């Protein structure tokens, strides 16, 4: 038989993990100087345009065979 699980401990561990992930995400988003943020945003937009440029008129992606 499996050991019993302390649900309070599980819930608190999950909340700590989520808070740590949120803090890491915010450090990346808000921890950069304005110039680096603008450069990262421009790079993301450039990649999105390249990705969209590979789409067909009907919206379906191209495959390697050209079909």
């Amino acid at each position: 038989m499996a050991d019993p699980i302390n649900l309070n401990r599980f819930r608190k561990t999950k909340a700590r993990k989520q808070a740590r992930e949120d803090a890491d995400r915010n450090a990346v988003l808000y921890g950069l100087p304005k110039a680096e943020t603008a450069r990262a945003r421009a790079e993301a937009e450039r990649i999105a345009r390249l990705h969209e440029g590979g789409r067909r008129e009907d919206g379906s992606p191209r495959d390697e065979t050209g079909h």
Side-chain angles (χ1 to χ4, degrees):
M1 185 192 276
D3 293 330
I5 297 174
N6 185 334
L7 296 178
N8 286 330
R9 184 179 299 159
F10 177 78
R11 180 179 43 84
K12 288 179 181 182
T13 302
K14 184 178 177 182
R16 282 188 201 108
K17 181 180 176 186
Q18 183 65 42
R20 207 173 306 120
E21 289 173 359
D22 291 345
D24 291 342
R25 188 178 311 108
N26 286 336
V28 170
L29 290 175
Y30 302 112
L32 296 176
K34 191 173 186 178
E36 287 186 34
T37 303
R39 184 191 57 78
R41 184 174 291 125
E43 179 68 13
E45 289 173 2
R46 184 186 72 83
I47 290 171
R49 279 193 312 269
L50 286 173
H51 181 72
E52 287 299 318
R55 294 201 177 270
R56 299 166 99 181
E57 290 294 321
D58 62 2
S60 61
R62 295 179 185 166
D63 61 3
E64 293 178 4
T65 62
H67 295 104

